[in-house]
Amino acid sequence: ERAREILESGARRGSNRLGVEAMELLDAYGIPTPQGDVVSSPVEAEAIAEEIGDDVVMKIVSPDILHKSDIGGVEVGVPVEEVRDTYEDLVVRARNYQEDATILGVQVQEMVDLDNGVETILGMNRDPQFGPLLLFGLGGIFVEVLEDNTVSVAPVSENEAKGMLDDIDSAPLLRGARGRDPVDEATLVETIQRLSQLVTDFPAIVELDINPLVATPDGVQAVDLRLTLD
Ligand code: ADP
Ligand code: MG
């Protein structure tokens, strides 16, 4: 029900495009997201950072900005004392990019340990003929360069979700290549199934991307979200 409310609030805004402001949708389906919130003032941003109690990541939240880092809309490793200034900087950069951009606010998010994790992508594209196509692959900056991914029609069984991990060329990377600890595969498989359930429950979602979904030895964290409603 919470999930429905989140999607409706997007629709009410008159935008069919939702971003990190809709991350609670993932929480509602048990897909872990880093601690944090979207706020609309520098002071509130500072309060969230204090709550997190460490350096944070800050991101501009706007339906008009699809690739936040392309416009300088993501700042990683921001100390609490710089949070207020960074808020203003992010808004200025967004305005420079598009003067009339709708700015919903700024997300203040806990840092995720990328050194011990693998950035993957988990997404969905609704095909008029085949239905919801789940995509899993290597994410982050490698997504376009390596194009290492696999597709499966939702809903997927546990075995089909496992098969998606096996399918990608980078599977050894998830399983502890080069002396790394293997990622928590069971949670990754569960996460694929949870997304499968979400997109099955909400036919209005025509497209969805979690990029990156950071997989670590301790579990997964959905760090970014973008979705389109019909
Ligand atoms: P966008 O894809 O719109 O540019 P993201 O939220 O995916 O924005 O952030 C861009 C990149 O910044 C990510 O791929 C990741 O490498 C890094 N990043 C984002 N959020 C975090 C976080 N919470 N902890 C660590 N790194 C992050
Ligand atoms: Mg991203």
Side-chain angles (χ1 to χ4, degrees):
E1 274 327 286
R2 182 71 192 118
R4 200 169 297 279
E5 281 167 33
I6 293 161
L7 292 175
E8 278 166 6
S9 79
R12 238 181 292 121
R13 271 201 334 266
S15 170
N16 64 343
R17 224 177 248 144
L18 277 67
V20 291
E21 76 279 8
M23 277 180 102
E24 260 188 82
L25 184 63
L26 302 179
D27 296 321
Y29 274 78
I31 298 173
T33 60
Q35 189 188 342
D37 212 344
V38 176
V39 293
S40 49
S41 74
V43 173
E44 288 171 284
E46 189 177 53
I48 300 290
E50 273 162 2
E51 223 174 278
I52 291 171
D54 204 344
D55 291 359
V56 293
V57 179
M58 296 177 69
K59 309 177 190 184
I60 196 75
V61 184
S62 163
D64 298 314
I65 299 169
L66 259 63
H67 300 283
K68 298 178 285 298
S69 40
D70 286 359
I71 65 128
V74 178
E75 283 289 343
V76 180
V78 184
V80 170
E81 59 273 18
E82 284 172 23
V83 164
R84 277 193 283 171
D85 286 347
T86 303
Y87 186 105
E88 310 281 13
D89 291 346
L90 290 172
V91 172
V92 168
R93 287 176 206 157
R95 288 265 171 257
N96 285 340
Y97 166 73
Q98 187 184 323
E99 212 179 295
D100 65 349
T102 299
I103 295 173
L104 300 176
V106 167
Q107 184 188 42
V108 182
Q109 190 179 60
E110 174 194 359
M111 293 271 287
V112 168
D113 180 13
L114 295 180
D115 292 341
N116 289 307
V118 180
E119 288 189 72
T120 69
I121 179 170
L122 178 59
M124 185 277 299
N125 236 305
R126 203 170 291 275
D127 183 272
Q129 198 178 344
F130 299 105
L133 301 179
L134 294 180
L135 177 139
F136 173 76
L138 205 60
I141 52 168
F142 300 119
V143 74
E144 279 105 17
V145 190
L146 298 179
E147 282 197 67
D148 181 14
N149 56 55
T150 182
V151 170
S152 211
V153 181
V156 290
S157 68
E158 188 182 339
N159 271 329
E160 286 171 315
K162 277 187 184 143
M164 292 181 83
L165 300 196
D166 296 329
D167 266 357
I168 63 170
D169 298 331
S170 317
L173 203 65
L174 300 171
R175 294 179 171 144
R178 303 200 165 206
R180 298 162 62 105
D181 287 331
V183 306
D184 179 351
E185 230 175 278
T187 301
L188 196 49
V189 167
E190 202 174 277
T191 302
I192 293 173
Q193 288 193 274
R194 286 170 189 262
L195 184 72
S196 169
Q197 188 63 51
L198 192 165
V199 299
T200 304
D201 291 347
F202 292 100
I205 304 175
V206 291
E207 211 182 284
L208 186 153
D209 265 312
I210 304 173
N211 184 24
L213 174 73
V214 180
T216 72
D218 305 317
V220 303
Q221 293 270 29
V223 159
D224 188 21
L225 172 69
R226 168 163 62 236
L227 66 89
T228 310
L229 301 170
D230 72 3

